[in-house]
Amino acid sequence: KSKEAEIKRINKELANIRSKFKGDKALDGYSKKKYVCKLLFIFLLGHDIDFGHMEAVNLLSSNKYTEKQIGYLFISVLVNSNSDLIRLINNGIKNDLASRNPTFMNLALHCIANVGSREMAEAFASEIPSILVAGDTMDSVKQSAALCLLRLNRTSPDLVPMGEWTARVVHLLNDQHLGVVTAATSLITTLAQKSPNDFKTSISLAVARLSRIVTSASIDLQDYTYYFVAAPWLSVKLLRLLQCYPPPEDAALRSRLTECLETILNKAQEPPKSKKVQHSNAKNAVLFEAISLIIHHDSEPTLLVRACNQLGQFLQHRETNLRYLALESMCTLASSEFSHEAVKTHIETVISALKTERDVSVRQRAVDLLYAMCDRSNAKQIVAEMLSYLETADYSIREEIVLKVAILAEKYAVDYTWYVDTILNLIRIAGDYVSEEVWYRVIQIVINQDDVQGYAAKTVFEALQAPACHENLVKVGGYILGEFGNLIAGDSRSSPLVQFNLLHSKFHLCSVPTRALLLSAYIKLINLFPEVKATIQGVLRSDSQLRNADVELQQRAVEYLRLSCMASTDILATVLEEMPPFPERESSILAKLKRKKGPSNLPTIDDARRNVNGSTEHSENTEATKKGSTHAFTDLLSLNSTPSTGASLLVDVFSNTSTPASVDVSEENLPRFVCKNNGVIYENQLLQIGLKSEYRQNLG
């Protein structure tokens, strides 16, 4: 039937229900349940319901399960957490929790968890723990109580009291009922992340329970065996709980945990007991969580290498999700001193994935892994492959690849001529994605390395001779030829006049900031080569410069012209002397990549591979790093930051501004909508928000 007919029918039914509720005749429980159920169905069809709430609350006092169930269902779906009826609802829930009827208690606990309002947390947060740890509570109620407490802890963590019950809830890991253990593990994991010391005793119980699961046959846990895999969800949750803590200090406990992990790795290698996808999904879920725990502990070289080899088998799996997860886990393994070499053996497979993979997210993980596994022995190969891929890479990941190539090229440059070639190649291939930080960095390194200055001048001069040059290349060329053009002036093919004409041929194609940089390069050329002084003064004297609409260009032209006319050779040489070496500071390119990816997602590249053991020392260092890096990574060009005292990954020299850059990038995207009807307002690694608008006369 048509939409109009449906609305007509619904309005008729609503009028009938309203008349029944307002009628003189009192409705019995069944009729009330029937009409409340109809209202719920109408709401789920997408229509507004503005009455019937009180009748639903009245159903809570019924002694019949079906009536009480519909009342709770209506409240869970339709009642707002700020409703005036919350107090009445809380009274109904309180009565059901006190009834000791397991069915009614479950309905009440489900309602608290579904609504999850602060008022309910205040009313029941202290009552639910006592239900959870009481000896006479039924197993099904314990499950509901644990999950309800978990929900309240997520919505109102400050209202969930940590008291005597915390020690008793840990012992639920020993419960006979695996459903209770599963629910309790979820709760303990969340609470342990908040206050690890209160739940340290859970480590031994979790290891013992995990050991019993992985060594049992599938028939031993028949009710909890999923496609021949014994209790996969509980295994995953226990492994996640153990990731909240460093490796156990007790040797016997550590040995038992190692045996469990070895058993999981061994079982993953066994032939599948079923061809169904559910079997492989369950088995792989446990395997990947076990590998995450091995990586987190980072203390067993044998396990780390085995994990790496098993992940390597997934790199060519037909399942896209498994390839993605394998690449993601290997990124973390590449940071470990024990497994870095094992990860490097898969370099050809990863390069192949980069070239042939159809899914862009998997290709992005492949780029991340190449970046993480890079060291001095394979840097040239990895950088060459990344540059090759960059020509056909998706636009969404080009900027990130550019930053990574720039970092790797500098980090592992044994020969700085290779570094200069790589960055110029980078600008040629993906100039639009080369940010200012990258070309700033080339200039810093060329100025600080005397032995590469002549080569850099010669290389940029040759690169600028191409008919179409990217503007970033013109910027680099203008700066380097202005500083070091004299080093190649002896060759008639790159004489001073040829250098100037080459730069000036690009002038009219460039934006205002680049033209300003070129004007500065011209005055530098006057200092280096007096023979081109008249030619350059002619350019500076032209109306297009002295009467330029842009005040910055006009001021530079006027001041540079007067400087060249009035100043003596000695004064000119002093004012325009070669730039001094830059002081060393942390790399702004690395800072930008960290901000783009987020610190937690960026693999570390360092020759001394770090130990990611979750020990106290490690966590203290991490905290210190977080505190110390707040300023260092808020700003791309941090001139005001103090030079780093330790051996940093990269050092930066060109830095500026003391004001931290805003994390929210939405405002800088707004001006583009002055002239456009669509575009991206905000973007990060998880989210992209776009705007599309359409206007007709006065309507928009």
Side-chain angles (χ1 to χ4, degrees), residues 473-502:
L473 184 60
V474 177
K475 290 175 182 175
V476 174
Y479 202 109
I480 290 178
L481 291 179
E483 292 293 329
F484 309 114
N486 59 314
L487 300 177
I488 58 169
D491 189 333
S492 59
R493 290 169 298 180
S494 54
S495 64
L497 191 58
V498 173
Q499 287 184 40
F500 168 71
N501 288 334
L502 181 61

Side-chain angles (χ1 to χ4, degrees), residues 114-132:
N114 285 328
V115 176
S117 66
R118 193 166 180 84
E119 291 79 5
M120 284 194 172
E122 286 171 350
F124 302 110
S126 57
E127 193 174 334
I128 296 169
S130 58
I131 295 172
L132 177 60

Side-chain angles (χ1 to χ4, degrees), residues 148-339:
C148 182
L149 204 55
L150 175 61
R151 163 76 168 151
L152 294 183
N153 185 68
R154 286 174 178 165
T155 55
S156 309
D158 54 311
L159 296 178
V160 178
M162 303 289 278
E164 296 174 8
W165 66 273
T166 52
R168 294 171 66 187
V169 81
V170 169
H171 290 287
L172 290 176
L173 293 176
N174 271 338
D175 200 278
Q176 296 295 315
H177 193 280
L178 284 189
V180 174
V181 181
T182 307
T185 307
S186 297
L187 175 62
I188 293 165
T189 303
T190 304
L191 296 173
Q193 288 165 352
K194 193 165 70 171
S195 49
N197 289 333
D198 291 344
F199 296 92
K200 258 189 175 174
T201 51
S202 66
I203 300 174
S204 57
L205 297 174
V207 172
R209 175 62 82 173
L210 183 65
S211 177
R212 292 204 295 276
I213 292 171
V214 298
T215 55
S216 67
S218 55
I219 51 170
D220 296 346
L221 303 168
Q222 210 152 6
D223 290 345
Y224 286 86
T225 296
Y226 180 79
Y227 286 87
F228 304 102
V229 182
W233 287 279
L234 178 54
S235 302
V236 166
K237 287 175 186 290
L238 289 168
L239 289 163
R240 281 191 185 158
L241 171 57
L242 291 169
Q243 286 174 55
C244 298
Y245 296 97
E249 293 171 6
D250 180 50
L253 191 60
R254 183 186 282 216
S255 171
R256 192 173 183 186
L257 178 57
T258 304
E259 282 174 25
C260 288
L261 295 171
E262 283 177 346
T263 307
I264 293 171
L265 294 177
N266 291 336
K267 282 189 174 180
Q269 296 288 69
E270 292 173 3
K273 294 177 182 175
S274 169
K275 290 184 179 178
K276 293 195 173 179
V277 69
Q278 292 93 332
H279 171 70
S280 58
N281 282 349
K283 198 162 78 166
N284 291 332
V286 178
L287 173 65
F288 275 102
E289 209 57 56
I291 289 173
S292 294
L293 181 60
I294 292 168
I295 293 169
H296 171 75
H297 284 173
D298 194 30
S299 57
E300 297 288 340
T302 316
L303 283 178
L304 284 160
V305 172
R306 276 197 66 185
C308 179
N309 293 336
Q310 286 194 237
L311 288 171
Q313 295 171 13
F314 287 117
L315 292 178
Q316 292 174 305
H317 200 279
R318 58 190 175 84
E319 267 292 323
T320 307
N321 288 340
L322 288 177
R323 295 197 299 274
Y324 179 94
L325 289 169
L327 288 166
E328 190 174 47
S329 298
M330 287 182 86
C331 276
T332 321
L333 277 172
S335 315
S336 169
E337 58 184 323
F338 301 120
S339 54

Side-chain angles (χ1 to χ4, degrees), residues 328-548:
E328 190 174 47
S329 298
M330 287 182 86
C331 276
T332 321
L333 277 172
S335 315
S336 169
E337 58 184 323
F338 301 120
S339 54
H340 181 70
E341 290 302 319
V343 172
K344 279 168 59 181
T345 60
H346 299 285
I347 185 169
E348 296 301 333
T349 313
V350 179
I351 289 169
S352 170
L354 192 63
K355 293 174 179 175
T356 58
E357 182 59 58
R358 285 174 297 183
D359 190 303
V360 61
S361 59
V362 180
R363 291 199 297 273
Q364 187 164 5
R365 289 287 83 81
V367 170
D368 290 344
L369 180 52
L370 285 175
Y371 175 79
M373 68 166 64
C374 189
D375 59 20
R376 293 197 188 282
S377 65
N378 57 18
K380 288 194 175 181
Q381 181 190 4
I382 286 176
V383 167
E385 291 295 347
M386 282 188 168
L387 282 172
S388 170
Y389 171 61
L390 192 55
E391 298 193 38
T392 55
D394 300 80
Y395 295 113
S396 58
I397 60 173
R398 283 194 180 185
E399 185 183 2
E400 191 182 311
I401 296 174
V402 166
L403 291 173
K404 286 180 173 174
V405 168
I407 289 169
L408 294 177
E410 179 186 349
K411 170 72 181 169
Y412 298 116
V414 179
D415 175 9
Y416 276 105
T417 58
W418 171 72
Y419 170 74
V420 170
D421 288 339
T422 300
I423 301 299
L424 293 181
N425 209 6
L426 199 59
I427 295 172
R428 180 185 63 78
I429 293 170
D432 288 342
Y433 299 90
V434 174
S435 59
E436 289 187 332
E437 293 77 29
V438 175
W439 72 263
Y440 285 175
R441 197 76 183 116
V442 187
I443 289 165
Q444 295 163 15
I445 286 171
V446 169
I447 287 174
N448 284 19
Q449 305 291 331
D450 295 343
D451 54 339
V452 81
Q453 290 165 357
Y455 180 80
K458 179 172 175 288
T459 308
V460 294
F461 176 78
E462 290 170 356
L464 285 170
Q465 289 175 338
C469 289
H470 193 275
E471 194 167 327
N472 282 333
L473 184 60
V474 177
K475 290 175 182 175
V476 174
Y479 202 109
I480 290 178
L481 291 179
E483 292 293 329
F484 309 114
N486 59 314
L487 300 177
I488 58 169
D491 189 333
S492 59
R493 290 169 298 180
S494 54
S495 64
L497 191 58
V498 173
Q499 287 184 40
F500 168 71
N501 288 334
L502 181 61
L503 286 175
H504 198 55
S505 67
K506 314 292 181 189
F507 187 87
H508 65 288
L509 301 170
C510 297
S511 62
V512 169
T514 307
R515 291 183 184 187
L517 187 148
L518 287 176
L519 289 178
S520 298
Y522 296 168
I523 191 71
K524 288 262 186 177
L525 289 174
I526 288 177
N527 177 45
L528 291 176
F529 314 113
E531 62 266 34
V532 296
K533 182 175 180 177
T535 310
I536 294 174
Q537 283 179 336
V539 170
L540 295 174
R541 227 179 244 116
S542 64
D543 281 355
S544 60
Q545 304 305 334
L546 292 182
R547 297 183 180 179
N548 198 295

Side-chain angles (χ1 to χ4, degrees), residues 19-37:
S19 67
K20 294 288 184 186
F21 285 165
K22 288 187 175 178
D24 299 332
K25 187 181 175 184
L27 293 174
D28 62 357
Y30 173 79
S31 302
K32 206 177 285 185
K33 176 193 78 172
K34 181 176 74 174
Y35 293 130
V36 168
C37 198

